[in-house]
Amino acid sequence: MRVNLLGYPRREMEAFFAKLGEAPFRASQVLKWVYHSGVDDFHAMTNLSKPLRERLAEIASIEAPEITGRQVASDGTHKWLMQVAGGNCMETVYIPEVDRGTLCISSQVGCVLNCSFCSTAQQGFNRNLSAAEIIGQVWLACRELGHHPNGPRIITNVVLMGMGEPLLNFENVVRAMELMMDDLALGLGRRRITLSTAGIIPALDRLRERCPVSLAVSLHAPDDELRSQLVPLNRKYPIPELMNACRRYVAHSPKSQVTFEYVMLSGVNDSPTHARKLARLLRDMPAKVNLIPFNPFPGTPYQRSDPESIDSFRQILLEAGLVTITRKTRGDDIDAACGQLVGRVTDRTRRSLRLRAPDSEPASHHP
Ligand code: SAH
């Protein structure tokens, strides 16, 4: 089987060429072809010797997931359905704004966390995406949108807020993020990458050491009782410990703060009392709050809070000195909004297995 070099960060690419008896700069040449020129055919890499090109074509490939569906919403939001090995699908979303363009990518096929308000949860869990499948979403979006790392800025930010819990696919997510940051690949600054997590505490500490990108935490409730109902993971990693992990995450980096995501569910977590409790909880935290109006999906018992409740909730946080924004709903006419990504999981048999030991996944490097 040919080895898929998409998803190989620079040092692994160098190791690959070292094994072939080639100089390390071959790695740089190939990375530039792949990410700066969008080339996936070794024969087209004209600054490599002909024999090397032929050798590479025999033993290696540059293989992104296959796009099986494209939709563009009335507000310009793009959504791609991508097929991954094994017959399942995942989704990737591009959100253009006046001053930036954000690509929202998935990290797993399905999700084990089973948050009660999220449609991905209803799909069950199939497997982790490989690093190639994660960076492949960015690579394909660049191609589709005509983004070149040295050209006009079309994709300025990447958020890991699609399907899956990125910290339960730690190694592959880190490898893909390394490529996003490498000047030979995407060249995004680390603050332009945001990883959103429900709060896998040990992995948060590892992330800080390995790849301290911007952090978003899905909080959704100001106390353990309510949060455990919405985000079952909270029973394992309750709020006080999560808050300490967030403090550790930003402690060594002066200007950083944690973005707390808070889905606004009518009559569930959206009262002024909840807002005041939340303000107290985040009092000493370098934090900003992102209120996300709930995006409904078929079969959900929840409803979106009305705009007045969201405004008064926000007002209370603002008055307590917390920077708070209400996330604009984008792409909901094509089911591309937060929590509406479903992809397609045909094989759910592995879900119960993974649930037992969510954070003891072996680091799997290769697809
Ligand atoms: N597993 C990661 C990232 C995936 S979801 C996490 O939990 O952070 C990205 C964000 O969308 C999370 O904050 C998630 O809680 C939120 N979300 C999920 N379902 C939603 C829905 N139906 N409406 C609005 N936001 C939702």
Side-chain angles (χ1 to χ4, degrees):
M1 223 183 66
R2 291 185 303 172
V3 25
N4 186 2
L5 294 181
L6 191 70
Y8 272 47
R10 192 193 296 207
R11 76 192 123 66
E12 285 173 39
M13 196 74 100
E14 285 173 353
F16 172 82
F17 280 101
K19 264 203 219 139
L20 295 183
E22 293 284 339
F25 73 88
R26 297 293 177 209
S28 317
Q29 289 177 314
V30 170
L31 282 168
K32 280 195 195 163
W33 278 114
V34 173
Y35 292 99
H36 291 189
S37 310
V39 166
D40 56 2
D41 176 4
F42 294 112
H43 295 294
M45 301 185 180
T46 46
N47 57 359
L48 308 179
S49 73
K50 199 139 186 271
L52 178 57
R53 280 184 257 163
E54 275 161 12
R55 178 94 200 275
L56 287 173
E58 258 165 46
I59 60 172
S61 65
I62 303 291
E63 219 172 309
E66 188 194 338
I67 295 178
T68 51
R70 292 177 177 80
Q71 278 176 287
V72 183
S74 50
D75 66 5
T77 299
H78 288 57
K79 182 169 86 168
W80 296 278
L81 188 66
M82 296 182 189
Q83 171 115 35
V84 294
N88 292 308
C89 290
M90 59 164 170
E91 295 184 326
T92 303
V93 174
Y94 174 71
I95 306 144
E97 285 172 281
V98 182
D99 53 345
R100 60 174 159 185
T102 305
L103 190 70
C104 176
I105 63 173
S106 296
S107 56
Q108 299 182 310
V109 184
C111 189
V112 290
L113 294 183
N114 217 8
C115 297
S116 62
F117 52 87
C118 180
S119 68
T120 303
Q122 306 207 325
Q123 296 292 302
F125 177 72
N126 175 252
R127 69 168 170 86
N128 281 334
L129 292 175
S130 66
E133 289 164 338
I134 300 169
I135 197 69
Q137 298 169 63
V138 185
W139 187 83
L140 281 171
C142 287
R143 185 182 256 199
E144 292 270 306
L145 299 166
H147 174 93
H148 298 280
N150 302 318
R153 291 152 26 98
I154 296 172
I155 298 172
T156 60
N157 296 70
V158 175
V159 297
L160 285 111
M161 292 187 186
M163 295 170 65
E165 168 50 53
L167 291 185
L168 290 180
N169 185 11
F170 190 85
E171 289 301 327
N172 290 332
V173 162
V174 165
R175 294 166 81 221
M177 294 195 303
E178 284 170 353
L179 282 163
M180 291 174 211
M181 292 188 287
D182 192 335
D183 284 335
L184 293 175
L186 270 302
L188 291 176
R190 73 174 167 91
R191 289 176 198 274
R192 291 190 173 271
I193 301 170
T194 302
L195 182 146
S196 177
T197 178
I200 318 282
I201 293 176
L204 266 175
D205 288 319
R206 280 196 286 153
L207 185 68
R208 185 188 71 229
E209 304 281 323
R210 281 279 298 282
C211 194
V213 295
S214 296
L215 179 66
V217 170
S218 294
L219 191 57
H220 306 318
D223 61 69
D224 280 325
E225 197 193 338
L226 180 56
R227 188 166 191 264
S228 294
Q229 287 169 28
L230 302 174
V231 182
L233 180 75
N234 192 67
R235 296 190 198 112
K236 186 160 181 187
Y237 300 119
I239 293 178
E241 283 152 49
L242 180 56
M243 290 301 123
N244 287 337
C246 290
R247 282 197 192 86
R248 290 195 293 278
Y249 195 87
V250 289
H252 297 292
S253 139
K255 275 184 285 171
S256 348
Q257 47 185 3
V258 179
T259 300
F260 289 94
E261 295 160 287
Y262 197 101
V263 62
M264 297 299 288
L265 304 167
S266 179
V268 175
N269 65 353
D270 65 345
S271 72
T273 310
H274 290 118
R276 283 189 287 270
K277 257 182 143 172
L278 181 62
R280 261 201 308 281
L281 179 67
L282 300 179
R283 203 166 32 200
D284 315 315
M285 180 78 71
K288 106 185 149 200
V289 178
N290 231 329
L291 301 177
I292 316 176
F294 172 65
N295 294 307
F297 50 89
T300 178
Y302 296 111
Q303 285 175 339
R304 180 184 292 187
S305 309
D306 54 63
E308 297 74 40
S309 315
I310 299 179
D311 273 352
S312 21
F313 196 96
R314 175 163 176 261
Q315 214 47 47
I316 292 170
L317 296 179
L318 287 174
E319 276 159 24
L322 276 162
V323 174
T324 306
I325 62 156
T326 303
R327 193 179 285 174
K328 264 220 232 94
T329 298
R330 296 292 303 264
D332 55 345
D333 53 339
I334 55 167
D335 289 340
C338 305
Q340 292 187 321
L341 302 187
V342 294
R344 189 175 76 221
V345 175
T346 49
D347 170 12
R348 304 180 193 182
T349 50
R350 290 156 81 185
R351 180 177 199 169
S352 52
L353 271 176
R354 301 300 168 104
L355 257 179
R356 257 179 258 134
D359 55 354
S360 56
E361 285 275 280
S364 108
H365 263 35
H366 301 290

